[in-house]
Structures are given as C-alpha cells and as structure tokens.
Amino acid sequence: MATRLVQINMKAQDDSALGRFWAEALGWGVDSEGPGVTNLEPVGFAYPDPVAVCIDIVARPEPKTVKNRVHIDLATTSTAHQAELVERLKALGATLADVGQGDVPWTVMADPEGNEFCVLEPRPVYQGTGPIAAVVVDCADPREMARFWGQAMDWTVHEVTDDTATMRSATGVGPYLEFVRTPDSKSVWNRVHLDVRPYPGDDPEAEAARLRALGATDPGGFDPSAVSWTVLADPEGNEFCLLSPL
C-alpha cells in the first residue's frame, strides 16, 4: 500500500476571494464542491494526476496569526518572467513579505490573506513542473521527514541533507515536495496542510494503521466523527488528511 500527494488544503476567511486570486495566479480553473469550499486545478485536468498538486481552499473564521509551515514556491523561466510575475501578482492583491529571508534571489510574497509564498528565480530543476515548482514544509529534521514521507507515499526521494530533503512523484512529473530546516517551532494548527490518497482498492483503515506505524499520530482538538476522512499528524506534528481511495 501507499499514498500519493493529491492536493494541499488551505484555510481562508473568504474561500471564494482567495480562490479567485490563486486561480488567476496559477492560470487554473475554479470549482466548488459546496458552500465554503473552493477547488482549484488546471483546466482540463483529470483528478487525481501527479502532473499537478491541486488546491482546496476551505472557509474558516479564524484569522492567520503566525507564519505558515507549508507554502508554495512558484516557478519562472527567466529573470524577466520572475519580475513580470511578481508585478502581476501585486496587481492581483499580493504583497511583498519579510520572513527574515535577507538578500536572496527569490521573492517572498503573501497572498491577500497573508499566506506566504515564493516566486523563485529561474532554476533548471523546476522547468516542466508547471506553475507550482514545489510545496515546501518547514521542519526541524529534514532527514526524518524524508524517512516518514518517503515511506508514507510512493514518491521518489531525490536529495536528503541536514538542511533539505526533496521528493517528487515517481513518474517524474509535477511539483516537488520539499522539507526545509527552519528554527521556528510549530505552535498552532497549520492553516495549510497536505492531503494524500490511497490507491483504488486499498483499505483506508489499514493505510491509516500503516502510517501510524511509521510515526504518524492522531492530533486532538477536533471531532473526528465530523469528517469522512482521517486526520493524522506527521512526526513533527504537521496535520495531514488521509482521504478515501480514488
């Protein structure tokens, strides 16, 4: 058994407005599965497909209070494209952000609800990923995160160091999943988290048990009977959802 990363879940006070921003930013289509939920995916996309990690934006009344531990890096093809994309995103409502990055070649920004993201300088490794170069997770121990997520999913681990770990779909398409060492510690529920799915025919309860055996835990603070999926946390406490097979 194995899972695959299919989407990221992002909380928002106004899911429709934030959905419009990200749809324009990525050039994706917008859909909704019900009130308070806005779904984003590439136009003509057949979900799920590793060529893209989709975005679900879910309405929540709580405001953002701390830097997100999960963010998106956007790919560019040239320095001119990077500058043009930054200006276009500003026109859509994004702002420049300072998270202590110092003098770096990428541009740190925040969407209209304050969610941090990066517009990267052109890097050959990200050519062909689509608009999202990587989904990035802050962590204390990239090696341990690579161990857990490398066994939790069927994605391929590409690089592991004391400071970073990188994974990508085994098919070699779509964005990367990256774990980056940061000094910050997790203090609140993540407003952005990963959603994974087992494959058709897999038993979700058995898959949840396998993930727990790898080091996942059951976070408290919510009513599990209120949802039809399983909420777990990775070894560093980052919540993620195990959805039904599809």
Side-chain angles (χ1 to χ4, degrees), residues 9 33 193 195 222 224 226-231 240-244:
N9 183 294
E33 61 191 64
H193 69 251
D195 283 351
F222 78 105
V227 297
S228 59
W229 51 88
T230 302
V231 180
F240 67 96
C241 290
L242 175 66
L243 307 180
S244 59

Side-chain angles (χ1 to χ4, degrees), residues 49-52 128-129 155 168-176:
D49 186 316
V51 72
T129 61
W155 281 30
R168 197 183 191 191
S169 165
T171 60
V173 298
Y176 288 81

Side-chain angles (χ1 to χ4, degrees), residues 118-137:
C118 297
V119 180
L120 301 180
E121 76 283 6
R123 302 182 192 180
V125 68
Y126 297 131
Q127 301 307 305
T129 61
I132 298 178
V135 178
V136 182
V137 182

Side-chain angles (χ1 to χ4, degrees), residues 150-173:
Q151 296 178 68
M153 301 196 302
D154 63 355
W155 281 30
T156 300
V157 177
H158 283 259
E159 178 185 7
V160 180
T161 71
D162 288 342
D163 294 318
T164 62
T166 301
M167 303 172 60
R168 197 183 191 191
S169 165
T171 60
V173 298

Side-chain angles (χ1 to χ4, degrees), residues 62-228:
E62 303 89 355
K64 180 178 180 290
T65 57
V66 300
K67 176 180 175 289
N68 290 335
R69 294 189 67 76
V70 181
H71 73 263
I72 294 171
D73 281 354
L74 301 183
T76 63
T77 57
S78 67
T79 52
H81 179 210
Q82 182 185 14
E84 291 165 3
L85 181 55
V86 167
E87 291 307 310
R88 185 169 71 83
L89 293 168
K90 287 181 183 177
L92 291 173
T95 55
L96 298 178
D98 186 350
V99 295
Q101 68 269 21
D103 184 15
V104 293
W106 59 89
T107 303
V108 182
M109 306 190 76
D111 70 19
E113 291 215 4
N115 298 297
E116 302 85 4
F117 66 94
C118 297
V119 180
L120 301 180
E121 76 283 6
R123 302 182 192 180
V125 68
Y126 297 131
Q127 301 307 305
T129 61
I132 298 178
V135 178
V136 182
V137 182
D138 291 352
C139 67
D141 188 346
R143 292 186 183 277
E144 171 61 9
M145 294 291 269
R147 180 207 63 81
F148 173 80
W149 285 104
Q151 296 178 68
M153 301 196 302
D154 63 355
W155 281 30
T156 300
V157 177
H158 283 259
E159 178 185 7
V160 180
T161 71
D162 288 342
D163 294 318
T164 62
T166 301
M167 303 172 60
R168 197 183 191 191
S169 165
T171 60
V173 298
Y176 288 81
L177 176 62
E178 299 179 353
F179 302 97
V180 177
R181 181 187 294 275
T182 61
D184 307 323
S185 59
K186 184 176 184 296
S187 59
V188 299
W189 271 67
N190 289 349
R191 287 183 68 82
V192 183
H193 69 251
L194 310 181
D195 283 351
V196 299
R197 282 191 187 274
Y199 282 86
D202 285 350
D203 180 350
E205 291 187 4
E207 184 60 29
R210 186 183 74 87
L211 293 172
R212 292 185 183 101
L214 291 174
T217 57
D218 295 278
F222 78 105
D223 179 7
S225 67
V227 297
S228 59

